[in-house]
Amino acid sequence: MTLGPHRAAAAALALALAAAPQAPAQSRQLDRSLALTPPMGFNTWNKFGCNVSDALIRGIADAMVASGMRDAGYQYVVIDDCWQVSRDSATGRIVPDAQRFPNGMRALADYVHSRGLRFGIYTDAGRRTCEGRPGSYRSYETDTRSYAEWGVDYVKVDWCYSDSLVSRTQYTEFRDALLVAGRPIVFSICEWGSTRPWEWASGVGHLWRTTGDIGDRWYSFLRILDASSTHARAAGPGGWNDPDMLEVGNGGMTAEEYRSHFSLWAIMAAPLIAGNDIRTMPDSIREILVNREVIAVDQDSLGVQGWLVAQPRPDLQVWVKPLRDGSRAVALFNRTEAPAEIAVEWSAIGLAPSQASVRDLWAHADRGRFRDRYAATVPSHGVVMVRIAGQPAR
Ligand code: GLA
């Protein structure tokens, strides 16, 4: 039997398709499975600025293990700005600072991996980084190939020196460069919320900054909390709002305020990226960062970003985050200058008016069973954070 011209063409096409490499449309999907829960790790910027080195990163990796942070869920050790000095004029490849990183990036990544951790790096989608180092513009594929060769698992991509560039276009191009680099790499978008990433970045990156830089101050934390919390609907498994890295332990806030910062970041399903010197932190700070009950709220597999649900009086707030097992994480948050009682009503968090059990996630204690509401005295600038398990309202 002979095939007619149409059948022959169709058969040839089918054969060609079967032999072709993966269709581009398929290969351009972000692998959301790399961040089904918000990424956790450490980044150099908040504490060390440009003072980064091989020795620092090795010391941090060791401290991640010794402090129990790795076992509590922190994975990525990320070098922020200033590791790069130039671009090789012959190959176009980015050149790390040989004085500060004398063993090269591959050896450093190997060391971090040997500690059971993952390795992250920083660049800029524009022409230069914010500290004026070479950016990746026009070199996305060259750079992502270098990262893959070095064993990089996470890249934060900044937005300085990007005049006349369109963020969505550039970050999409960067994502596509990552997809052909040959290694799974978490993609952290950092355009500071300047072009409404909550409207387009899901599917482009795994996390996207929602605001300008955090400062180690109470009012900076509040400003970012209020701004980032308005975009809760954009977050979910595989793509997260990023209200910036943690300042816990950097000295500009009280322990009470740091507990609030950490608790509200967990309620917001924020990436938990420590930014303090974890090699030398006191136990009081370590205990905040490794609080497994609060981390479990952040990392809950339902992947819902919590929100402000009630404000019984100005600056006395109730925040809620629904969890996979049907329970609710609740933060009673006192932004005022004096201790105050704050109550959460079951009706406000979608629970039926019946007995529900309450566990305090900072005291690590069961508080008992309560009907309709739970009230606690909350210190100034502090939180009481609880997990409430009850019957859902119909
Ligand atoms: C920007 C980013 C910061 C940090 C610095 C580095 O300000 O928002 O998080 O990466 O650049 O220069």
Side-chain angles (χ1 to χ4, degrees):
M1 191 186 95
T2 52
L3 298 176
H6 294 300
R7 302 267 306 272
L13 182 63
L15 272 174
L17 281 177
Q22 251 195 335
Q26 275 170 12
S27 66
R28 282 166 180 247
Q29 291 267 340
L30 181 80
D31 181 356
R32 300 178 73 95
S33 74
L34 296 179
L36 289 179
T37 62
M40 292 176 65
F42 165 89
N43 172 298
T44 50
W45 183 253
N46 283 356
K47 173 70 184 177
F48 300 98
C50 271
N51 197 12
V52 292
S53 67
D54 179 282
L56 172 68
I57 296 303
R58 287 176 194 244
I60 292 287
D62 293 346
M64 289 272 261
V65 179
S67 64
M69 285 178 69
R70 181 191 64 185
D71 292 344
Y74 295 84
Q75 287 187 304
Y76 298 97
V77 179
V78 183
I79 314 175
D80 206 279
D81 207 346
C82 302
W83 61 267
Q84 61 284 72
V85 285
S86 59
R87 204 169 271 291
D88 184 302
S89 55
T91 63
R93 290 184 59 153
I94 192 80
V95 179
D97 185 329
Q99 250 99 58
R100 288 175 171 272
F101 296 92
N103 306 308
M105 288 300 171
R106 171 86 233 190
L108 185 52
D110 286 348
Y111 186 82
V112 171
H113 292 151
S114 77
R115 310 303 275 140
L117 295 160
R118 296 186 179 158
F119 183 60
I121 213 162
Y122 162 101
T123 189
D124 191 291
R127 298 162 185 94
R128 288 168 188 267
T129 73
C130 296
E131 287 293 324
R133 306 304 175 94
S136 287
Y137 183 56
R138 296 219 158 112
S139 302
Y140 295 172
E141 289 203 9
T142 308
D143 287 354
T144 55
R145 267 201 306 274
S146 294
Y147 306 156
E149 275 173 39
W150 295 339
V152 167
D153 306 295
Y154 182 111
V155 63
K156 169 177 169 182
V157 182
D158 220 333
W159 191 232
C160 282
Y161 298 95
S162 59
D163 307 359
S164 78
L165 302 179
V166 177
S167 58
R168 184 177 187 163
T169 308
Q170 297 307 312
Y171 283 108
T172 302
E173 221 177 87
F174 202 99
R175 175 201 64 189
D176 293 343
L178 283 168
L179 291 174
V180 295
R183 186 178 171 88
I185 297 179
V186 171
F187 182 21
S188 159
I189 294 175
C190 178
E191 53 68 273
W192 325 299
S194 60
T195 59
R196 309 181 67 79
W198 44 88
E199 289 175 359
W200 55 262
S202 181
V204 180
H206 297 100
L207 58 159
W208 50 87
R209 282 273 297 277
T210 49
T211 69
D213 288 7
I214 193 169
D216 184 18
R217 294 178 311 279
W218 169 249
Y219 286 104
S220 173
F221 150 55
L222 290 185
R223 187 174 45 79
I224 288 182
L225 169 67
D226 292 342
S228 206
S229 62
T230 62
H231 310 303
R233 274 197 216 104
W240 307 98
N241 287 313
D242 175 7
D244 207 358
M245 302 169 295
L246 296 165
E247 290 284 10
V248 175
N250 278 334
M253 292 186 242
T254 65
E256 201 66 62
E257 292 170 342
Y258 284 139
R259 268 193 293 279
S260 298
H261 173 22
F262 196 71
S263 301
L264 272 306
W265 259 226
I267 289 280
M268 288 200 295
L272 296 178
I273 310 288
N276 60 314
D277 190 348
I278 66 171
R279 300 168 305 176
T280 57
M281 65 184 158
D283 274 351
S284 56
I285 294 301
R286 194 190 76 86
E287 279 159 18
I288 296 173
L289 292 173
V290 302
N291 183 330
R292 286 170 187 257
E293 297 195 73
V294 174
I295 291 172
V297 170
D298 181 79
Q299 295 289 303
D300 185 79
S301 66
L302 191 60
V304 172
Q305 176 173 333
W307 60 89
L308 175 64
V309 76
Q311 185 153 256
R313 271 181 27 215
D315 286 334
L316 300 181
Q317 299 186 328
V318 180
W319 292 73
V320 67
K321 180 183 197 282
L323 304 175
R324 169 70 72 189
D325 68 358
S327 67
R328 273 82 165 135
V330 169
L332 307 174
F333 182 32
N334 179 0
R335 300 163 67 138
T336 75
E337 302 304 316
E341 189 183 273
I342 307 178
V344 50
E345 312 280 344
W346 286 189
S347 60
I349 57 171
L351 291 181
S354 60
Q355 296 282 333
S357 60
V358 175
R359 181 168 173 82
D360 188 313
L361 307 185
W362 284 107
H364 304 296
D366 291 328
R367 294 303 190 208
R369 292 174 70 74
F370 296 81
R371 222 194 131 80
D372 303 334
R373 72 201 289 270
Y374 177 75
T377 301
V378 185
S380 166
H381 291 195
V383 287
V384 166
M385 188 156 168
V386 293
R387 191 164 175 146
I388 305 177
Q391 296 299 317
R394 300 223 215 177

